Structures are given as C-alpha cells and as structure tokens.
Amino acid sequence: DWRMYSWDIAGSIAHATMLGEQGIIEKSEADKITGELRQIRDDIASGTLPIDFEAEDIHMFVEAELTKRIGETGKRLHTARSRNDQVALDIRLYLRQEIRALQELLAELLAVIANKASDNMQAVMPGFTHLQHGQPVTFAHYILAYAQMIRRDVERLDDVYARTDVMPLGSCALASTTYPLNRHRVAELLGFSAVTENSMDGVSDRDFVIELASALSIMMMHLSRF
C-alpha cells in the first residue's frame, strides 16, 4: 500500500486542518502537523525518506515518522480518526485518481480510432459472421464498433467514479465520534462531492472497488477483441 502514500498524507493534512479550525486541537499544533506532513511527502517523493517496508502499513509509517520529527504533537493527528476510516479514505482517493487516468487513456484511444475511421471511409472489407465472410463493410464502420464499446467503458467508469467520490472520514472505527467534526470541510479540502451518510457503511463499504473491477473486466474484454 506504499503507492497510496501521497493520498494518505493528503487525507491527514485535510483532517488536521479541520481539527485546528474546529478547535479540537490547537491551531498551532494543526499547522505544525500539516507543515511536517508536507515535508514528509516531499521527502518520500524525492527518495530522501525511504519507506520502511517493515512497518505495519503506510499509515503507521507516516504517523511514526511524523511523531519522530515533531514529538507528542504528532500523536494529535489521530484525534477523532480510526485506522478504519483512514484506510477507506485512502482507497477512495487513490481509485479516483486511477479512474480518471484510465479515462484519459481511453479518450486518447477513441481519438485515434476516430481519425483512423475518417481516413478509411471508402476502404471496403468483408464483415464476418460465424467466422465466415458476410456482408461487405467499410473499415471505418468496422473500427467504429470498437469506439462504441470504449465509449460505454468510459461511461461505466463515470458511474463508478460517482460512487467512489464519497468521503468516509469521520466514521471512525464504526460509530463516529463525539468530537464536533466538520466532515463537509474535509470533503471540500479533498475535492469530494459528498460524504458518507452512515458510519458503519462508511468504513465497511467496498462496493465501489468490486464495481471498478467489473468495469475494468468488461473494458479488457473489449481491448482483447480489438
């Protein structure tokens, strides 16, 4: 899960910012935490700080490094947060990025197919049915069939993205917290369009992961045919 380090840190920065704004921790502590988290992110990215693969997970690695650097203040970061909702958040942040990256690649492929079709409006080829020669078609017509498939793949990814783009932080272990959180503020900082409405579902929902795997399976079937 080291690939999620930047999203784990982004989630922690948003959480600490909100804690400071709400007065749950001192504003000075929140600023100290967020400043050092940004430095840790830069150090990992540059290779200055190698990831310790003996750590339990990326979340514990970042938190331990933060505490090592700024002492007890680093421990305040986990106020009103559980590993459960933190993991759920990281997965959603990571997959949102991956979904959009995939859609960009599919859009590039669609553009290539459209251009190739435009160049072959008069190129005639046999259509096939049951492995036998069938009616004649143009190559443009043939290749645009794949454009239709890929368009549906992009639409399916849009659907998955909408259900992934929901912010779970604040659910804590399973029953939320008595701290006066501002979940919508965290969602705003992280660019989420909504927050989860039930804390138990918020930490346990992985429907969107399965749904993405399904959409990618269909996409790969189309690319295999192609």
Side-chain angles (χ1 to χ4, degrees):
D1 62 355
W2 65 270
R3 291 179 296 171
M4 296 194 292
Y5 79 87
S6 63
W7 297 120
D8 186 74
I9 292 172
S12 291
I13 289 172
H15 181 66
T17 299
M18 180 274 295
L19 292 178
E21 291 176 352
Q22 293 294 104
I24 297 172
I25 66 175
E26 293 293 330
K27 182 69 165 55
S28 58
E29 286 187 307
D31 291 342
K32 191 174 183 180
I33 289 169
T34 56
E36 198 58 48
L37 283 171
R38 291 186 179 93
Q39 186 59 55
I40 290 172
R41 180 184 58 198
D42 292 345
D43 289 347
I44 294 175
S46 67
T48 305
L49 175 62
I51 291 174
D52 179 9
F53 292 102
E54 296 300 314
E56 181 180 346
D57 51 36
I58 191 63
H59 327 291
M60 290 298 293
F61 170 74
V62 171
E63 191 173 323
E65 181 65 23
L66 177 67
T67 302
K68 183 168 72 175
R69 293 187 180 195
I70 64 173
E72 289 297 306
T73 295
K75 298 181 180 180
R76 305 297 301 276
L77 171 62
H78 215 51
T79 305
R81 188 174 71 172
S82 163
R83 194 75 62 222
N84 295 1
D85 58 349
Q86 185 180 0
V87 171
L89 174 71
D90 289 5
I91 293 172
R92 288 177 182 273
L93 287 168
Y94 174 68
L95 292 185
R96 281 196 323 179
Q97 170 188 268
E98 294 299 304
I99 289 169
R100 288 305 189 221
L102 284 167
Q103 288 182 309
E104 288 179 9
L105 292 171
L106 290 174
E108 290 180 21
L109 179 55
L110 279 172
V112 171
I113 290 174
N115 289 334
K116 187 62 68 174
S118 180
D119 293 340
N120 290 274
M121 298 290 286
Q122 305 302 321
V124 178
M125 62 173 283
F128 284 82
T129 177
H130 304 291
L131 303 180
Q132 302 297 315
H133 285 91
Q135 294 166 285
V137 296
T138 63
F139 183 64
H141 188 68
Y142 177 81
I143 199 171
L144 285 174
Y146 294 96
Q148 296 298 320
M149 299 176 210
I150 293 166
R151 280 180 58 188
R152 292 195 296 273
D153 292 329
V154 173
E155 291 169 358
R156 263 185 287 271
L157 289 174
D158 271 334
D159 290 340
V160 179
Y161 188 93
R163 279 179 283 280
T164 304
D165 190 27
V166 185
M167 206 283 296
L169 209 62
S171 301
C172 296
L174 78 158
S176 193
T177 176
T178 55
Y179 284 105
L181 303 181
N182 185 342
R183 301 183 65 220
H184 290 281
R185 174 59 173 153
V186 177
E188 176 188 14
L189 290 169
L190 294 172
F192 281 97
S193 62
V195 299
T196 53
E197 297 182 359
N198 181 285
S199 60
M200 293 185 69
D201 182 59
V203 295
S204 64
D205 170 34
R206 296 297 184 271
D207 294 5
F208 61 96
V209 182
I210 302 171
E211 190 176 358
L212 177 57
S214 174
L216 296 182
S217 296
I218 296 170
M219 181 190 77
M220 289 305 298
M221 178 184 67
H222 292 156
L223 295 178
S224 174
R225 288 179 62 184
F226 186 49

